[in-house]
């Protein structure tokens, strides 16, 4: 658990890569939100990977706001585990 959040929240170290390529970004601290419907990755990391947008989706915030967002497919590494082609939402913040 990370003490950067109040209350403390689950956190894990991850790495990012384009599908079938070597990991190029990370390790990064990732907040685990078991109730989330999507994974969000800061756009600056997707730009480092030169990840092309795979498509457009509509993101709805917890307050009901809707906005179009690009999504990308990336491999996520957690320890020795590689999760292939995970759709993630790009976020500028």
């Amino acid at each position: 658990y990370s003490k950067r959040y109040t209350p403390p929240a689950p956190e894990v170290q991850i790495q990012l890569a384009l599908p079938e390529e070597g990991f190029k970004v990370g390790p990064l601290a990732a907040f685990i939100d078991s109730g989330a419907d999507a994974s969000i990755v800061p756009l600056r990391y997707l730009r480092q990977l030169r990840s092309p947008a795979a498509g457009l989706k509509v993101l709805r915030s917890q307050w009901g706001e809707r906005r179009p967002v690009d999504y990308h497919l990336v491999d996520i590494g957690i320890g020795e585990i590689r999760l292939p082609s995970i759709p993630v939402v790009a976020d500028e913040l």
Side-chain angles (χ1 to χ4, degrees):
Y1 280 82
S2 171
K3 295 185 182 193
R4 294 187 296 162
Y5 304 100
T6 303
E11 184 178 270
V12 67
Q13 295 293 312
I14 65 166
Q15 297 182 69
L16 300 173
L18 291 178
E20 300 183 24
E21 291 189 11
F23 288 109
K24 295 181 182 171
V25 175
L28 304 170
F31 173 70
I32 298 176
D33 182 352
S34 61
D37 293 330
S39 295
I40 301 173
V41 173
L43 184 57
R44 69 180 176 272
Y45 299 130
L46 297 171
R47 285 183 177 149
Q48 285 178 10
L49 292 174
R50 296 186 178 176
S51 174
L56 193 65
K57 295 200 180 256
V58 175
L59 179 71
R60 185 177 55 136
S61 75
Q62 62 269 39
W63 297 282
E65 162 203 359
R66 292 179 176 264
R67 65 182 172 112
V69 293
D70 288 329
Y71 76 93
H72 299 250
L73 297 175
V74 297
D75 287 4
I76 299 176
I78 304 172
E80 299 297 318
I81 299 170
R82 185 179 189 117
L83 304 171
S85 296
I86 302 298
V88 300
V89 174
D91 184 73
E92 290 189 14
L93 300 176

